[in-house]
Amino acid sequence: MNQNKILSLIGMATRARKVVSGEYMTENKVKSGGAFLVVVAKDASDNTKKMFSDMCQFYELPMYEYGTKEELGHAMGKDVRASLAITEEGFAKALTKLLDS
């Protein structure tokens, strides 16, 4: 049940244009200070996971491993996505609350 809420919220944030996805866009948004939360797919490569983990630690951002690349992409109405960043604080807080429970 929680999984549906999380993926639905990612979809809503996408429709509101408050999500960037893909390694390059996510990295840019984190480094420019425009990201509030990073989500990396559980089946992403170890290099991708480590890169975002280190980056989020450095920039003091929450990062979660959640879902598969296909699930994240489907929730956004796109192809497979290994990483995404939420760029609006309200969506980030709501997602963090769901991901922590």
Side-chain angles (χ1 to χ4, degrees):
M1 183 66 169
N2 231 10
Q3 182 176 16
N4 290 342
K5 287 181 182 178
I6 292 167
L7 294 175
S8 293
L9 199 53
I10 289 172
M12 282 176 36
T14 303
R15 288 188 293 284
R17 299 183 185 270
K18 301 299 180 189
V19 177
V20 295
S21 63
E23 194 169 313
Y24 178 77
M25 292 295 292
T26 302
E27 182 177 352
N28 277 358
K29 199 53 91 168
V30 168
K31 288 182 177 179
S32 70
F36 290 93
L37 170 72
V38 174
V39 179
V40 178
K42 288 184 179 182
D43 60 348
S45 73
D46 290 338
N47 287 342
T48 299
K49 289 179 190 177
K50 179 166 178 16
M51 180 189 75
F52 281 113
S53 175
D54 293 347
M55 189 185 312
C56 288
Q57 216 169 10
F58 180 80
Y59 288 98
E60 298 179 359
L61 274 177
M63 185 201 107
Y64 291 91
E65 284 184 29
Y66 182 79
T68 64
K69 292 187 273 191
E70 286 182 3
E71 288 172 339
L72 292 179
H74 183 72
M76 297 178 70
K78 301 184 184 220
D79 236 0
V80 293
R81 292 289 187 259
S83 60
L84 59 91
I86 305 294
T87 62
E88 200 266 325
E89 195 171 9
F91 281 117
K93 284 181 179 178
L95 268 170
T96 301
K97 190 175 177 181
L98 287 172
L99 287 163
D100 283 339
S101 62

